[in-house]
Amino acid sequence: KEPALCFYISIPAAVIALAIPVLSDPDTVFSGYAKAFGYLTDYILLAVAIALLPYIMFYEVQAHKMRKIERAIPDFLKNLSLINETGFSLSESLRILLRSESGALRSHIEGMYTDMSWGASTKEAFTRFANKLKINMLSRLTALITKASESSGDIREVLDIASVYTNINLQLKKDKFTNMLIYVIIIYIT
């Protein structure tokens, strides 16, 4: 959940990895700048790698999970809209959706359904869902869906619009990444 927590282990490990060569051969380290620099360069790079690589790895794993969840949101909203269109309440729609959902959102949908079945309102369940995931797009959608469910029981149109909105938002995000990647490649080439 928090990639930065790995620094509690990786930074002391990096310090130890740098301290061992310094303490094992202090004559080389304190014999002159050029000789010490040549001796310690590899160990400094190793210490930096030990400190940063676990963070990078955990961060990328977390980012990959978030991207999978973001890509699943439009389908979730569309399916929720289709089920809600048949006349089921939102909590019943979630229950039915749980039977077929097996993607990245399943555990979060289960949490929302559990909240609603234990007496939480739609607003509370969706708010907890958005707060747990901490995705800006989802926070905006949650506000939209909760306001629509408060004003009327038929939120199918709102769910359809939210699904289209998330698809457009994801496409814009993808286009932005592609365009920025082109600029980065051009900068590296020049």
Side-chain angles (χ1 to χ4, degrees):
K1 294 262 179 191
E2 289 293 327
L5 293 177
C6 73
F7 284 132
Y8 287 119
I9 295 172
S10 66
I11 289 180
V15 169
I16 290 170
L18 187 59
I20 289 173
V22 170
L23 296 176
S24 66
D25 193 8
D27 295 335
T28 306
V29 174
F30 298 112
S31 63
Y33 176 74
K35 194 172 185 183
F37 183 74
Y39 177 72
L40 287 177
T41 302
D42 293 339
Y43 295 109
I44 291 171
L45 291 175
L46 176 66
V48 168
I50 289 172
L52 293 180
L53 283 179
Y55 174 75
I56 292 168
M57 184 179 67
F58 289 129
Y59 179 84
E60 285 300 319
V61 167
Q62 182 72 15
H64 178 70
K65 286 179 185 177
M66 286 297 154
R67 283 191 299 270
K68 272 178 78 173
I69 289 172
E70 280 183 346
R71 286 192 303 264
I73 290 172
D75 292 334
F76 162 69
L77 293 172
K78 186 152 193 73
N79 292 339
L80 192 62
S81 168
L82 290 172
I83 295 169
N84 188 262
E85 182 179 5
T86 61
F88 289 107
S89 68
L90 201 54
S91 62
E92 285 299 309
S93 298
L94 286 173
R95 184 183 60 78
I96 293 168
L97 189 61
L98 276 174
R99 292 181 188 166
S100 64
E101 183 68 36
S102 63
L105 282 175
R106 179 167 178 78
S107 63
H108 301 290
I109 295 170
E110 283 177 358
M112 284 192 334
Y113 176 70
T114 303
D115 286 347
M116 291 173 125
S117 64
W118 287 352
S121 67
T122 305
K123 181 178 181 178
E124 290 171 346
F126 271 92
T127 303
R128 285 185 195 142
F129 171 60
N131 289 342
K132 196 181 301 182
L133 291 177
K134 297 177 183 163
I135 299 173
N136 290 337
M137 174 180 60
L138 190 57
S139 298
R140 290 189 298 269
L141 289 173
T142 300
L144 177 69
I145 292 168
T146 56
K147 291 294 181 191
S149 68
E150 287 174 359
S151 65
S152 88
D154 183 27
I155 61 167
R156 185 191 60 78
E157 289 181 30
V158 174
L159 291 171
D160 285 338
I161 291 169
S163 175
V164 170
Y165 167 76
T166 53
N167 274 329
I168 291 170
N169 198 3
L170 289 174
Q171 186 61 40
L172 288 173
K173 196 174 188 181
K174 184 178 176 183
D175 292 345
K176 181 176 152 185
F177 175 78
T178 304
N179 289 336
M180 292 308 294
L181 182 64
I182 291 169
Y183 286 123
V184 170
I185 290 171
I186 289 171
I187 289 171
Y188 276 125
I189 290 174
T190 59

